Amino acid sequence: MLIHQNFTGGNIRIEAIEDNTIYLNNELRDTPHDWFYWAFCAENFAGKTITFRFPKERIGYYGPAVSHDLKRWTWLGAGEEENAFTYTFQSEEDKVYFAHSMLYHPDRFAAFAKKHNLELHELCQSKKGRSVPYITFGDGEEIILLTARHHACESTGNYILEGVLEGLLQEGLPSTKVICIPFTDFDGVMDGDQGKDRTPRDHNRDYRLNEPSIWPETAAIREIAANGIRYGFDFHSPFHCGERHDTVFLVEKVETKLAEYDVFSEILESVWTADALRYDKRNNILPGVEWNSPNAPTFACYMDSVANAKLACTLETAYFGTPDNIFTPEKAIRLGRCFAKAIVEYDKQA
Ligand SMILES: [Zn+2]
């Protein structure tokens, strides 16, 4: 029997094993405060019933995400205990993946690109020497820049992004080139890091004015935006769960753009379809509220002030959602399609 993290996105530490209970925790690595991401593989447990126990809030409302191939994910379902789940491995179940949330494997993005005849280009080499992928399509002077995984563990953003790309491929903006970096912190995504607030700073705090980036990916993104962009959208996941973090919301960063956020949010509400994850603009977070510091050196602020984007913002998508609005990849992709439609409609009005 083996519990391990030797796969894309893996992150686990075994604390103790007692009979049929395995005590686990995640690895924070270079995140200097508590965070919640974990993902592990259980091999050779066929026929056994095992309880996996965490010391604190590491499991969402619907139990862990479960997969047999790192591609298709389902929720196990809520167990009786908040910080533990029990799984009965069937006789042929030799290898099962469990995770905090539904992972998004870079291979899935490669398959998506292939399906749409899009070539994966190299944005740059990561610090660890990996080739960081990006795609581009459409012709024109104007650039729409789409990014996800500035924080490595935030996979919900990739599902939204897939829908946005599908929508823009089908109904693109005139004279506009789409440039998409799906895994900004590529090493973090591959290695299963938290990525959030990493030391000395994470990828979404690496957009300081008058100071070069420390991450090759953010340096390359800044270079793409050097001559200005029209739109910049960055897709994230929020905190583990609770209140606003159970919803989908826009992060409104720039005081002078409140009216623009409002117009865009209203359009997004109006084009939203009932088969998608719900979006309600009342969940948007205003500048200066809670953690939303308006002057943080983020992608969105940088694209607004330096790249002079007409609209640049972050969309946060809950890991789990609420019982009437549970996160699934399909519903997130559909919301992404609504988001693309909202961009097209907004652009018509702009
Ligand atoms: Zn984030």
Side-chain angles (χ1 to χ4, degrees):
M1 291 178 290
L2 179 66
I3 300 281
H4 69 87
Q5 58 178 6
N6 306 324
F7 61 95
T8 298
N11 179 318
I12 203 69
R13 196 176 68 223
I14 300 171
E15 306 259 271
I17 300 175
E18 273 174 30
D19 302 324
N20 291 323
T21 300
I22 301 181
Y23 294 83
L24 300 167
N25 207 349
N26 58 353
E27 291 186 339
L28 296 173
R29 302 184 186 166
D30 64 353
T31 293
H33 53 74
D34 196 42
W35 212 244
F36 43 76
Y37 175 78
W38 56 270
F40 70 87
C41 180
E43 287 196 62
N44 307 325
F45 282 88
K48 292 196 160 30
T49 296
I50 304 288
T51 296
F52 298 97
R53 195 172 288 284
F54 287 87
K56 52 174 122 176
E57 298 75 27
R58 299 279 185 252
I59 303 171
Y61 301 130
Y62 317 114
V66 184
S67 176
H68 293 91
D69 56 9
L70 292 174
K71 289 178 193 152
R72 286 175 299 272
W73 290 91
T74 52
W75 298 115
L76 178 63
E80 284 171 9
E81 288 184 82
E82 209 181 325
N83 298 323
F85 66 92
T86 297
Y87 192 82
T88 297
F89 295 83
Q90 301 303 307
S91 55
E92 71 287 359
E93 262 186 315
D94 289 332
K95 193 189 250 192
V96 186
Y97 297 94
F98 299 96
H100 164 264
S101 40
M102 294 188 175
L103 309 193
Y104 187 103
H105 199 292
D107 284 354
R108 179 179 168 129
F109 191 81
F112 172 87
K114 194 172 173 199
K115 181 178 152 197
H116 294 284
N117 294 317
L118 297 167
E119 200 183 326
L120 290 181
H121 302 283
E122 180 175 286
L123 177 75
C124 60
Q125 294 256 314
S126 72
K127 271 205 171 151
K128 292 186 177 175
R130 294 180 174 111
S131 176
V132 180
Y134 82 97
I135 58 164
T136 180
F137 60 89
D139 270 324
E141 296 285 298
E142 305 271 13
I143 291 174
I144 168 166
L145 192 46
L146 304 171
T147 53
R149 307 295 278 271
H150 271 91
H151 296 136
C153 72
E154 299 179 0
S155 55
T156 60
N158 278 119
Y159 291 103
I160 300 281
L161 181 61
E162 209 181 273
V164 176
L165 291 167
E166 271 177 9
L168 291 177
L169 279 162
Q170 212 167 66
E171 186 184 5
L173 298 180
S175 314
T176 303
K177 184 180 194 175
V178 176
I179 300 177
C180 169
I181 295 97
F183 310 105
T184 304
D185 179 359
F186 192 55
D187 284 334
V189 170
M190 296 301 288
D191 295 341
D193 293 346
Q194 310 294 331
K196 179 77 174 177
D197 294 334
R198 57 162 86 245
T199 310
R201 58 181 183 253
D202 72 37
H203 287 63
N204 204 31
R205 291 293 180 279
D206 197 25
Y207 290 91
R208 297 183 182 188
L209 306 179
N210 310 315
E211 213 181 300
S213 287
I214 59 168
W215 299 105
E217 296 90 348
T218 39
I221 289 171
R222 285 165 75 150
E223 214 173 292
I224 290 171
N227 294 320
I229 65 167
R230 185 163 178 82
Y231 298 113
F233 298 106
D234 188 25
F235 299 96
H236 285 244
S237 314
F239 186 64
H240 176 53
C241 63
E243 299 176 359
R244 195 197 309 276
H245 305 286
D246 295 331
T247 72
V248 180
F249 58 97
L250 218 66
V251 182
E252 305 191 6
K253 277 270 177 220
V254 182
E255 294 275 2
T256 54
K257 289 288 172 76
L258 294 183
E260 298 296 326
Y261 301 135
D262 219 43
V263 170
F264 181 78
S265 301
E266 258 172 42
I267 295 173
L268 181 53
E269 273 191 352
S270 72
V271 299
W272 178 80
T273 52
D275 57 359
L277 270 184
R278 192 175 315 124
Y279 170 75
D280 181 335
K281 79 183 180 80
R282 287 173 300 184
N283 292 316
N284 286 2
I285 185 162
L286 292 165
V289 172
E290 296 166 25
W291 44 268
N292 187 21
S293 153
N295 297 316
T298 62
F299 171 91
C301 288
Y302 185 90
M303 294 308 154
D304 181 83
S305 63
V306 179
N308 204 22
K310 168 133 190 69
L311 184 65
C313 57
T314 299
L315 186 79
E316 301 272 0
T317 300
Y319 288 107
F320 317 116
T322 45
D324 58 339
N325 190 42
I326 296 177
F327 179 93
T328 66
E330 295 73 26
K331 276 156 65 182
I333 290 167
R334 288 189 206 113
L335 179 60
R337 294 189 68 121
C338 300
F339 197 93
K341 201 167 181 134
I343 298 170
V344 173
E345 290 303 313
Y346 176 86
D347 192 66
K348 282 180 193 161
Q349 296 184 18

